[in-house]
Amino acid sequence: VLQLKNVSKIYSEYGQTVNALDKVSIDIDKRDFVSIIGPSGSGKSTMLHTMGLLDRPSSGTVFVDGQDTSQIRGKDVAQFRGAKMGFVFQGYNLIPRLTALQNVMLPAMLQRKDADITEKKALSLLKEVGIEQRADHKGVHLSGGEQQRVAIARALINDPAVILADEPTGALDSKASAHIMDILKNVNRAKGVTIAFVTHDNQQAEYADRIITIKDGKIFSDRCRKE
Amino acid sequence: VLQLKNVSKIYSEYGQTVNALDKVSIDIDKRDFVSIIGPSGSGKSTMLHTMGLLDRPSSGTVFVDGQDTSQIRGKDVAQFRGAKMGFVFQGYNLIPRLTALQNVMLPAMLQRKDADITEKKALSLLKEVGIEQRADHKGVHLSGGEQQRVAIARALINDPAVILADEPTGALDSKASAHIMDILKNVNRAKGVTIAFVTHDNQQAEYADRIITIKDGKIFSDRCRKE
Ligand SMILES: Nc1ncnc2c1ncn2[C@@H]1O[C@H](COP(=O)(O)OP(=O)(O)OP(=O)(O)O)[C@@H](O)[C@H]1O
Ligand SMILES: Nc1ncnc2c1ncn2[C@@H]1O[C@H](COP(=O)(O)OP(=O)(O)OP(=O)(O)O)[C@@H](O)[C@H]1O
Ligand SMILES: [Mg+2]
Ligand SMILES: [Mg+2]
């Protein structure tokens, strides 16, 4: 489903060169449930953004469903990505002026889905993540943890084939975190959705079937979950 | 140093009334090291913002150093607050176009401190939190954890009497988190700075001398650390 082949991401605008990713090769198959851990600044978000076609690599190739994505023209990337993938960003990225419900509906409206069906689906997703009572609150008027749960509901609205989540429970307490991880696990098991999530919590990383550790932009280890 | 007397914060713009804080009374004395825990949406950030004069209460009174702060005129509040308090916001709130170094220096420049002395101090604080090598990066070009560490350095630049921190290590792995908590503990012990921090990590809450649990806008418990 997702393949990075010798991918590097190099930033050099500050007089020094930062190798956010350094010749990374990795294969993620359909129905994989993968976690990515590593210290702050090690390249976790960069890897997720590159896999999700949100950032172009400096060198190397990203394949999605076997297709070389460097061939896709700029403005077609968003449509290609939107049809296949759901994202949970590290900073939630809600639209502050829109309500929680509108934020969740937006990816489906961009894919021109029916508004009534989408609204019902969005309400049931907000209920599933435990904040249906805040559906009418604007993004700016939600607490940190509430925004994060809206972002998770939004990533699920289009029944994506792949979900890429960057510390999806970073703002939540252990009970709410476990609830969200159960939702993701169920989506993976019951619907066969491929999931890659970043976490800095070693215990949470064990939710996944496969744990990838990254350091200084390089894959340090890629192992199965401890049984 | 900080006192809330019968403070409520009520939001009612969505047709329903949200009691973010409900008749909360709490005393925080000089040199206290206090943690605040509670589920998502329970009022932790609202409490911190009210204590820090970032939000006005709907009813009740906030005292700082014994002074009734409702008497302070609107535009004098920022100066009063800036001279006494340092903040670490839940969303970091860095200025994206400024560099890490400039973000750290800003609170001191607003208090009209000497630029050369401030720059040296800011560099040494960035080194203390472990990211001096990113001093020249703009806020938008830092990872989540790097932004959080810049926000912590920024809260320390004015040698404040009080630090209010909203999940100061939420984006950091356990090693980096422990390092930041050690810095805060040292600032409390060695410099006598009063510190209140929000966390959803029960283990981290025990760093504090006093642990306050909040639920649905009410103080649920206020106990000493488990020895
Ligand atoms: N401007 C606002 N208008 C309406 N409701 C608001 C506003 N700001 C906050 N709220 C509501 O007040 C409640 C308390 O919010 P607060 O941000 O204090 O929670 P919190 O304990 O910090 O949660 P988290 O752990 O998720 O950060 C939430 O349910 C939130 O939806
Ligand atoms: N646009 C950019 N320009 C320059 N450097 C950048 C840019 N974006 C990211 N970086 C750097 O690349 C490195 C990797 O960043 P990335 O966001 O992938 O880290 P991360 O592993 O997600 O960290 P965290 O756990 O703190 O979120 C960081 O050191 C960061 O400073
Ligand atoms: Mg990151
Ligand atoms: Mg909060």
Side-chain angles (χ1 to χ4, degrees), chain A residues 143-144, chain B residues 44-45 90 166-167:
Chain A
S143 78
Chain B
K44 301 184 296 296
S45 294
Q90 192 169 3
D166 202 341
E167 309 203 16

Side-chain angles (χ1 to χ4, degrees), chain A residues 3-8 23-27 59-63:
Chain A
Q3 230 181 347
L4 299 184
K5 278 217 170 125
N6 225 9
V7 165
S8 294
K23 301 192 188 63
V24 167
S25 290
I26 170 176
D27 266 349
S59 63
T61 316
V62 178
F63 295 88

Side-chain angles (χ1 to χ4, degrees), chain A residues 9-14 16 18-21 36-49 55 90 166-167 198-200 214 217, chain B residues 92 131 133-134 137-138 140-149 171-173:
Chain A
K9 182 74 176 172
I10 298 168
Y11 297 107
S12 51
E13 60 247 66
Y14 293 101
Q16 81 225 74
V18 176
N19 284 331
L21 289 177
I36 303 165
I37 59 179
S40 169
S42 56
K44 301 184 296 295
S45 296
T46 305
M47 187 156 124
L48 218 64
H49 287 193
D55 267 344
Q90 194 168 0
D166 203 340
E167 309 202 18
V198 167
T199 180
H200 53 256
I214 183 172
Chain B
Y92 326 137
I131 51 164
Q133 76 283 9
R134 294 284 180 265
H137 277 234
K138 291 221 174 88
V140 273
H141 295 154
L142 296 168
S143 77
E146 290 169 342
Q147 288 185 45
Q148 188 155 57
R149 283 179 284 166
L172 299 175
D173 55 49

Side-chain angles (χ1 to χ4, degrees), chain A residues 124 173 191:
Chain A
S124 96
D173 58 290
K191 297 188 183 165

Side-chain angles (χ1 to χ4, degrees), chain B:
Chain B
V1 177
L2 290 173
Q3 229 179 350
L4 299 185
K5 279 217 169 121
N6 225 5
V7 165
S8 294
K9 182 75 179 174
I10 297 168
Y11 297 107
S12 51
E13 61 245 67
Y14 294 103
Q16 83 227 64
T17 308
V18 176
N19 284 336
L21 290 178
D22 190 4
K23 301 192 188 60
V24 168
S25 290
I26 161 177
D27 269 356
I28 294 182
D29 300 319
K30 192 167 164 52
R31 288 177 176 273
D32 271 7
F33 192 26
V34 177
S35 61
I36 301 166
I37 58 178
S40 168
S42 56
K44 301 184 296 296
S45 294
T46 305
M47 191 157 123
L48 220 63
H49 287 194
T50 310
M51 285 192 314
L53 313 181
L54 291 161
D55 268 343
R56 287 213 180 266
S58 312
S59 62
T61 316
V62 179
F63 295 87
V64 176
D65 292 338
Q67 188 177 342
D68 176 349
T69 59
S70 61
Q71 306 299 330
I72 306 175
R73 274 160 9 102
K75 63 178 210 307
D76 297 335
V77 172
Q79 185 62 22
F80 177 84
R81 185 178 62 224
K84 292 179 189 287
M85 301 184 194
F87 287 92
V88 181
F89 296 96
Q90 192 169 3
Y92 326 137
N93 288 16
L94 298 187
I95 298 174
R97 296 289 146 235
L98 294 186
T99 67
L101 184 64
Q102 291 166 333
N103 267 290
V104 176
M105 290 174 66
L106 191 64
M109 306 309 281
L110 293 174
Q111 296 285 321
R112 313 210 186 294
K113 303 220 168 135
D114 176 84
D116 288 342
I117 295 172
T118 298
E119 184 168 339
K120 283 203 183 63
K121 208 168 165 186
L123 278 168
S124 96
L125 281 169
L126 285 172
K127 193 179 173 75
E128 201 178 342
V129 296
I131 51 164
E132 71 278 17
Q133 76 283 9
R134 294 284 180 265
D136 298 326
H137 277 234
K138 291 221 174 88
V140 273
H141 295 154
L142 296 168
S143 77
E146 290 169 342
Q147 288 185 45
Q148 188 155 57
R149 283 179 284 166
V150 171
I152 287 158
R154 180 181 61 178
L156 298 168
I157 191 75
N158 274 337
D159 291 323
V162 175
I163 291 177
L164 301 175
D166 202 341
E167 309 203 16
T169 65
L172 299 175
D173 55 49
S174 47
K175 221 173 99 209
S177 288
H179 178 61
I180 295 296
M181 293 312 293
D182 287 343
I183 292 174
L184 291 180
K185 195 161 200 165
N186 183 43
V187 162
N188 171 260
R189 300 280 189 260
K191 296 188 180 166
V193 174
T194 308
I195 297 180
F197 71 96
V198 167
T199 180
H200 54 254
D201 176 346
N202 293 334
Q203 228 180 315
Q204 189 177 72
E206 300 294 331
Y207 259 90
D209 300 323
R210 195 175 147 198
I211 294 128
I212 295 169
T213 305
I214 183 171
K215 281 209 175 102
D216 297 324
K218 294 189 175 63
I219 306 271
F220 187 72
S221 73
D222 183 344
R223 63 171 173 86
C224 294
R225 175 186 47 210
K226 292 183 204 114
E227 288 305 337

